[in-house]
Amino acid sequence: QKEVEQDPGPLSVPEGAIVSLNCTYSNSAFQYFMWYRQYSRKGPELLMYTYSSGNKEDGRFTAQVDKSSKYISLFIRDSQPSDSATYLCAMSKTQGGSEKLVFGKGTKLTVNP
Amino acid sequence: EPEVTQTPSHQVTQMGQEVILRCVPISNHLYFYWYRQILGQKVEFLVSFYNNEISEKSEIFDDQFSVERPDGSNFTLKIRSTKLEDSAMYFCASSDPDEQYFGPGTRLTVT
């Protein structure tokens, strides 16, 4: 079983839709969870950083962590064409300080005007 | 807004040649990383670096690879004797120490 699994999509939605992106993981040692956005041929851009189980909101983005199910989600409300990108989940075992990130493969999202 | 920068954006090299990929991390960050992404694959960790020494390296990071912080601003990844399978996007990242911020990447093409 892969450490981090993420449905690669592609996912295509109309503008204004609510988007749900998900990752599962197998290693219970993962404690810190991130979502990155990656535009084509660009570097990953940090969107959300969470630790505890529950929800964290930032504008139109909500990150949700369920450690008991080893499942994390990113919700995008009122999606915009500019949200079209690949979304990567990432996780680590400890907080910061040279800790490596383990990434999912990414979900490619297209928001159609 | 401070950002991680990388040069060159694209490097083409012949198999067996040495390449040096350069990064300028965010100025007050102390932790530095290299990751790579082969086309269509996951972003993979290569190495982390702190206090002028390697903190952790993956099994990918073999003797062919080395990292250096030659001065107070640059962080480099050297690949000796490149192989075809080294073709990938190479991303530098730095952290403060928790959140890792990535550069735009260097696309390495080995022919």
Side-chain angles (χ1 to χ4, degrees), chain B:
Chain B
E1 185 176 325
E3 58 184 16
V4 177
T5 59
Q6 291 185 243
T7 54
S9 57
H10 187 197
Q11 174 89 50
V12 181
T13 190
Q14 288 191 323
M15 197 167 51
Q17 296 296 304
E18 175 182 288
V19 294
I20 297 176
L21 310 183
R22 291 182 166 79
C23 169
V24 179
I26 294 173
S27 62
N28 62 338
H29 287 185
L30 299 177
Y31 301 87
F32 314 116
Y33 314 80
W34 283 101
Y35 291 80
R36 79 172 185 189
Q37 186 176 31
I38 295 170
L39 188 63
Q41 302 296 315
K42 292 184 178 184
V43 176
E44 301 175 286
F45 169 80
L46 291 178
V47 66
S48 58
F49 190 87
Y50 170 70
N51 201 25
N52 279 320
E53 60 182 31
I54 290 173
S55 303
E56 185 178 358
K57 59 184 180 180
S58 71
E59 59 267 22
I60 302 168
F61 194 89
D62 58 21
D63 293 342
Q64 178 196 9
F65 294 89
S66 62
V67 290
E68 192 178 32
R69 186 150 164 85
D71 54 44
S73 59
N74 290 284
F75 181 50
T76 62
L77 175 69
K78 182 190 291 185
I79 310 175
R80 288 181 281 274
S81 190
T82 49
K83 306 170 192 167
L84 293 176
E85 54 265 37
D86 294 327
S87 295
M89 284 289 287
Y90 287 81
F91 295 109
C92 173
S94 66
S95 70
D96 63 349
D98 297 335
E99 299 173 358
Q100 292 186 26
Y101 295 89
F102 284 72
T106 292
R107 182 153 61 103
L108 176 65
T109 302
V110 182
T111 62

Side-chain angles (χ1 to χ4, degrees), chain A residues 65-77:
Chain A
V65 173
D66 182 349
K67 289 184 180 178
S68 62
S69 301
K70 298 190 184 69
Y71 187 87
I72 67 171
S73 300
L74 179 71
F75 298 96
I76 308 174
R77 288 184 299 282

